[in-house]
Amino acid sequence: MYYIQVLVVLSVAVLAMGQFGQFFAKKSGECPPYPNVMVCDMTCFADVQCPGMQKCCGTACGGTMCIGPVTSRVVASKEKPGDCPSRPSGPWVCSSRCAVDSDCRGKKKCCRNRCAALACVNPEEE
């Protein structure tokens, strides 16, 4: 009798782990670099909560949302000319909006802001 109970408990545990693992399964593709939308709440926690092929991705102000993936994110290692400002200014946004200079449009660089997060800013004039 004891062995049957152990077998039942183990079977339930294996099934539960399969469901739990599926919850954290990642969908294909990559999240775009911090979409600049005003969704600052956590609207999802895992890809499985998003419809179709959408993924649960971080936003520029620290929230999450379901958004279409990019096929692959190419991180260019080429640094843009100019220096990051020696005295950061701008809004107190404490979540990063970029990771490298190539995440920023035009001549803007990815630099530390007033809150020490990374943000796209105009370089200092030389």
Side-chain angles (χ1 to χ4, degrees):
M1 183 70 153
Y2 174 75
Y3 295 109
I4 294 173
Q5 288 175 338
V6 171
L7 184 60
V8 169
V9 169
L10 286 174
S11 298
V12 170
V14 168
L15 288 173
M17 287 175 61
Q19 293 298 320
F20 187 71
Q22 186 180 33
F23 182 77
F24 290 103
K26 295 188 111 194
K27 293 182 181 176
S28 63
E30 298 291 326
C31 288
Y34 303 109
N36 195 13
V37 294
M38 293 311 297
V39 176
C40 301
D41 296 327
M42 304 287 265
T43 60
C44 61
F45 294 96
D47 289 352
V48 72
Q49 294 174 298
C50 299
M53 295 181 65
Q54 290 187 346
K55 295 180 63 68
C56 183
C57 300
T59 63
C61 63
T64 59
M65 66 181 284
C66 293
I67 192 165
V70 293
T71 52
S72 63
R73 182 173 177 221
V74 177
V75 178
S77 61
K78 185 177 179 187
E79 189 175 321
K80 292 182 181 177
D83 294 321
C84 288
S86 55
R87 299 194 75 198
S89 60
W92 285 89
V93 176
C94 297
S95 59
S96 293
R97 297 176 178 227
C98 59
V100 293
D101 285 354
S102 61
D103 290 340
C104 302
R105 295 182 183 196
K107 295 181 179 181
K108 290 187 176 190
K109 293 180 62 69
C110 186
C111 302
R112 297 269 175 212
N113 66 12
R114 293 165 74 174
C115 198
L118 293 169
C120 294
V121 297
N122 289 318
E124 281 189 337
E125 300 288 326
E126 292 185 30

